[in-house]
Structure formats: C-alpha cells, structure tokens
Amino acid sequence: MNPQEVNAPQPPSPAPAPSNLPPASPPPRKTRWLGSLVALALVAAVGGAAWYLLQRSQGDAGAGMGRGPGGGRPTVTVGEAAARKAELPVVIDALGTVIPATTVTLRPQVSGTLTQVLFTEGQMVKKGQLLAQIDPRPFEQALLQAQGTRQRDEAQLENARLTLERYRTLLAQDSIARQDVDTQAALVKQLEGTVMTDRAQEGVARLNLDYTRITSPATGRIGLRTVDAGNYVTSGDAAGIATITQVAPIDVQFAVPQDRVGDILAAQAESAALAVTALDRTRKAELDKGRFSTLDNQVDTTTGTVKAKARFDNASGTLFPNQFVNVQLLLRNVPAVVVPVTAVRTGANGDYVYVINEDRTVSLRKVKRGQATVGLVAIAEGLQEGERVVTEGGDRLQDGMAVQLPGAGGARGARNGASAPRGGASAPGEGGQRRQRPAQNP
C-alpha cells in the first residue's frame, strides 16, 4: 500500500437526517377551517358578554324603579286624576276679522273752497256733528235768486187766477166767448207748473246751502284727513275728506266648515242668542264677548266654508277694525264624564285609559271619546264617575302593573324612615359587637 494513500484525508460522509424536526405545514384548506372556528368562538364570546351586560343594566333599572309589595313586579310613579261629571262646552273655533258695523267716507256734496276743518284725526264723533265748512256765500246768493223767481211767478199765477174768475162770471152773463175762458184756464195751469218748478229750484238751492256744512253721517272714530282747509273740493272727489268707522258696536266675520252648518242652525233653534268669544292671536287673552248674528246664504266652493258674523259691544275698545282674532262659537253645554286629555291614549285597538285599582295596580280599559276641549275630554263609554285614571307615566305601564302615587309614596317613605333604627346609636362594631366608650378616669 502506498503510504501517501494511507495518510491522505478521507472525504466527509453525509450527515444523517435528524428525527426531531417538525412535520411539514398543513395544506391551506385546513388552515382556513381552523381560522373560521377561532373567529366563531370570538364572536360567541363577545355576544355572551354583551347579553350579560344588557341583562345586568335592565336588572339595575328594575331595582331603581322599586319593587311591588310582594317583591315581584316593579312599581312606576304616575300622575292620577279622578273622572268627574262636568258641563263640557261644544265650541267651534275659527279665525275671524274685525269689521266695522258702519264705514263711511266723508265726501263733499257740493264744490267750493274748504274754509274750516272742525275735527281732530282719530277723534270719536257723533252722528250730526259738524266736521267741516265750505264757503256758503255763492250758495246763499243762488238761494236768493231762486226765491225771487218763485215769488215773481207766484204773483203772475195769482193774477191769472183772478182773471179766470172774472171771465167765468162774464161767461155766465153771456158777455164773453167761451174760448177766452178756456185760454185763461190754460194759462193758469201753465203758471202753476212754473211756480212748482221754481219751488223745486229753491229747494235745490237751499239743499246746496245745507251741504256746505259737512256733518258726520254716523257715530264712530274718524280717521286721517286727506285735505286741509283752504283747498278747493269737488263733489266728485273719490278720496273724500276722511273716513268714519263705527267701532261700538262692531262685527267680527269668520268662516265655519260647511259640515257644522247644521249644528249651528240647530243651536239657533234652541237658543236665540249664541255666545261668541273673541281671543287674541295667542288664544290666551279674551278680548270681548258677543253674540252670533247670522250665516251667509251660500257655501264658498273654493274653501268649503260658510261666512258667519257676530256682533260685539266693544265697550272697552279692545277690537279694532281689520284686526285678526280667534273666535270661539259656543253651541251648547253637554253634561258628561270628563278626564284630562293626557289620560286617554290611542293604541292598535282604539282609545284606552289606565284605571287605578284599590290595590294600586292598573287595568287597561277601552273607552269611547266624546266632545273635547283644550284640557278635558268627555268619555262616552267605558268609565264611571269617581274612578281614578293615570294621566302621566302611562307609556311605561302594562296591564296589571303596580303603580306608586306621588303623595302616597312620599308618606310611606317617611314612615319607613321613622321606624328604622338610627345608625349612630346601634351600629355594631368590628366582630359583630357594639362599640363602647372607654372608661374615663375620675
């Protein structure tokens, strides 16, 4: 053997494969299946925690409301009212406009120079009161001329009548022709017509002279004047001098639905005077009380309403022309069992109330509504006088649930507090023993 071959290094042999290496990763499908299981487990855990917190919060809320006498159902503090009998008014509410009973535009009847204005703007004037003066001198002269013409024609008529009497005497003596007598009789009739015309012209002149004194044709409030003294006014002036509105009494015009016309007519047949109340815009302040006057004779087809009118004395002047007011027309008073409006609720089966029983539980009872006002509603069926109903807190109630009244609950709490032992006097110390004062040295 060659010594070089003996001492030559041997080539390394391949290392054995280790036996503790991890197996190959699972296929991708198995990995997705395991991830889905983990996600479902997490969702279930979150849902369980949420359910636990919700149940715990509801239990705390039920404990906060209190428990019934037996420690079962929770009690709810509610407001209550007793059903009572009352005269419930049946009214029709409407929006009305104040309209003066009389509106007059003060216009001159003759043309001339306005010499005097004898009123103050906004003044209350009376019928026949002198308000303005037009220069009367031209009209005085026209009257004198008409009087002179009448007197002249009356003298001619008197002479013609005397002549006719003489002619008739001569005709009886057969001393004159009948034709002359007939001619004189026709002249007398002609002059009588002339005198009548003169008297009419004199009356017109006298009337024009009276028109120079502009007087109030109605009693009411006068508005702002449109012309001052010294201006020339004409009888055809449309603006006039001022406007007078009668404000006492005054009317209110309003519209009522055509479906209520029959009720109004029936109420008028029972009572001649129906009471009407005028309220301000907010329906809080009462302006005046009046009486119903009449309905219009036709229905407005565009609105389906009928115009109505009421008369108010307006002695205090609270109603002003063209003012918008709220109107309440009282038809009649209906005796009924009434409860507050907040006591009646509406559900899937109709109207109902919660009646408070003697054991302070509530019973759901169906009722039938009647007439209603702003604060009260009549119960036609389902409720008797004296029964107590829930007015506040009914949205948290169920049939048979125990309730607590504000006054009764406070009294019961006070009695319980008075009978409980005072903690300062009977509080036990550590170990269940009562604490004692240490003995003091003499």
Side-chain angles (χ1 to χ4, degrees), residues 323-412:
Q323 177 185 2
F324 288 99
V325 295
N326 289 293
V327 178
Q328 288 184 346
L329 172 60
L330 177 61
L331 298 181
R332 60 186 177 276
N333 291 318
V334 178
V337 176
V338 297
V339 295
V341 174
T342 55
V344 182
R345 293 168 173 80
T346 303
N349 297 326
D351 299 328
Y352 66 93
V353 296
Y354 282 111
V355 180
I356 303 176
N357 303 318
E358 294 295 334
D359 57 352
R360 292 187 181 178
T361 59
V362 294
S363 299
L364 187 148
R365 187 180 301 176
K366 296 181 180 179
V367 294
K368 183 177 180 182
R369 289 174 180 258
Q371 297 291 336
T373 62
V374 177
L376 298 175
V377 59
I379 304 300
E381 295 179 3
L383 199 62
Q384 301 295 327
E385 180 183 5
E387 290 185 307
R388 296 182 300 169
V389 295
V390 175
T391 58
E392 297 179 3
D395 52 344
R396 297 176 294 170
L397 294 179
Q398 295 180 359
D399 192 12
M401 183 178 291
V403 295
Q404 180 178 352
L405 305 180
R412 184 169 60 252

Side-chain angles (χ1 to χ4, degrees), residues 216-428:
S216 175
T219 300
R221 187 192 304 274
I222 195 167
L224 305 179
R225 69 172 181 266
T226 60
V227 63
D228 297 326
N231 289 281
Y232 186 83
V233 295
T234 60
S235 57
D237 188 4
I241 298 175
T243 302
I244 300 174
T245 56
Q246 183 178 349
V247 295
I250 202 168
D251 295 331
V252 173
Q253 181 175 308
F254 56 97
V256 297
Q258 59 181 355
D259 298 335
R260 304 303 300 271
V261 172
D263 297 337
I264 296 175
L265 296 178
Q268 279 187 309
E270 296 176 359
S271 176
L274 299 180
V276 181
T277 304
L279 306 174
D280 64 351
R281 286 181 177 267
T282 61
R283 293 181 177 269
K284 295 181 180 179
E286 180 181 308
L287 300 179
D288 201 359
K289 285 185 175 294
R291 56 196 178 277
F292 183 76
S293 297
T294 184
L295 286 171
D296 198 3
N297 58 356
Q298 58 185 350
V299 177
D300 187 352
T301 57
T302 59
T303 60
T305 58
V306 181
K307 293 181 180 179
K309 185 178 289 187
R311 175 64 58 90
F312 294 82
D313 293 335
N314 199 27
S316 58
T318 54
L319 297 177
F320 203 80
N322 293 337
Q323 177 185 2
F324 288 99
V325 295
N326 289 293
V327 178
Q328 288 184 346
L329 172 60
L330 177 61
L331 298 181
R332 60 186 177 276
N333 291 318
V334 178
V337 176
V338 297
V339 295
V341 174
T342 55
V344 182
R345 293 168 173 80
T346 303
N349 297 326
D351 299 328
Y352 66 93
V353 296
Y354 282 111
V355 180
I356 303 176
N357 303 318
E358 294 295 334
D359 57 352
R360 292 187 181 178
T361 59
V362 294
S363 299
L364 187 148
R365 187 180 301 176
K366 296 181 180 179
V367 294
K368 183 177 180 182
R369 289 174 180 258
Q371 297 291 336
T373 62
V374 177
L376 298 175
V377 59
I379 304 300
E381 295 179 3
L383 199 62
Q384 301 295 327
E385 180 183 5
E387 290 185 307
R388 296 182 300 169
V389 295
V390 175
T391 58
E392 297 179 3
D395 52 344
R396 297 176 294 170
L397 294 179
Q398 295 180 359
D399 192 12
M401 183 178 291
V403 295
Q404 180 178 352
L405 305 180
R412 184 169 60 252
R415 289 194 299 269
N416 294 339
S419 61
R422 283 187 276 182
S426 60

Side-chain angles (χ1 to χ4, degrees), residues 47-233:
W51 180 84
Y52 172 76
L53 293 176
L54 180 61
Q55 295 296 324
R56 183 175 180 181
S57 63
Q58 290 179 353
D60 293 342
M65 287 193 302
R67 297 288 176 178
R73 297 182 178 181
T75 59
V76 179
T77 302
V78 297
E80 56 123 5
R84 59 185 178 88
K85 284 189 176 181
E87 293 286 338
L88 195 66
V90 180
V91 299
I92 296 178
D93 294 321
L95 182 64
T97 305
V98 181
I99 298 177
T102 302
T103 302
V104 180
T105 301
L106 198 64
R107 294 189 178 95
Q109 299 297 310
V110 293
S111 301
T113 302
L114 190 65
T115 58
Q116 287 181 315
V117 176
L118 304 175
F119 65 88
T120 304
E121 296 174 332
Q123 175 186 352
M124 294 296 297
V125 298
K126 296 182 179 180
K127 184 176 181 179
Q129 179 179 342
L130 181 62
L131 301 178
Q133 178 73 53
I134 296 176
D135 187 5
R137 292 174 296 178
F139 302 97
E140 293 174 349
Q141 299 304 317
L143 177 59
L144 290 176
Q145 183 179 0
Q147 289 176 345
T149 303
R150 175 184 59 80
Q151 291 176 2
R152 181 196 63 190
D153 293 339
E154 286 179 348
Q156 292 178 357
L157 175 60
E158 184 66 22
N159 184 33
R161 286 174 177 172
L162 292 176
T163 303
L164 179 60
E165 291 295 329
R166 296 191 191 98
Y167 282 0
R168 286 175 178 173
T169 302
L170 293 175
L171 180 61
Q173 297 175 359
D174 199 14
S175 300
I176 192 174
R178 180 173 293 274
Q179 182 180 359
D180 296 337
V181 177
D182 295 339
T183 302
Q184 188 64 27
L187 179 61
V188 169
K189 290 183 177 296
Q190 180 182 354
L191 291 176
E192 287 177 350
T194 302
V195 171
M196 185 178 295
T197 302
D198 295 340
R199 290 176 179 174
Q201 292 178 353
E202 182 184 358
V204 171
R206 194 182 303 276
L207 186 60
N208 289 335
L209 181 60
D210 291 338
Y211 281 154
T212 59
R213 293 170 48 88
I214 302 176
T215 58
S216 175
T219 300
R221 187 192 304 274
I222 195 167
L224 305 179
R225 69 172 181 266
T226 60
V227 63
D228 297 326
N231 289 281
Y232 186 83
V233 295

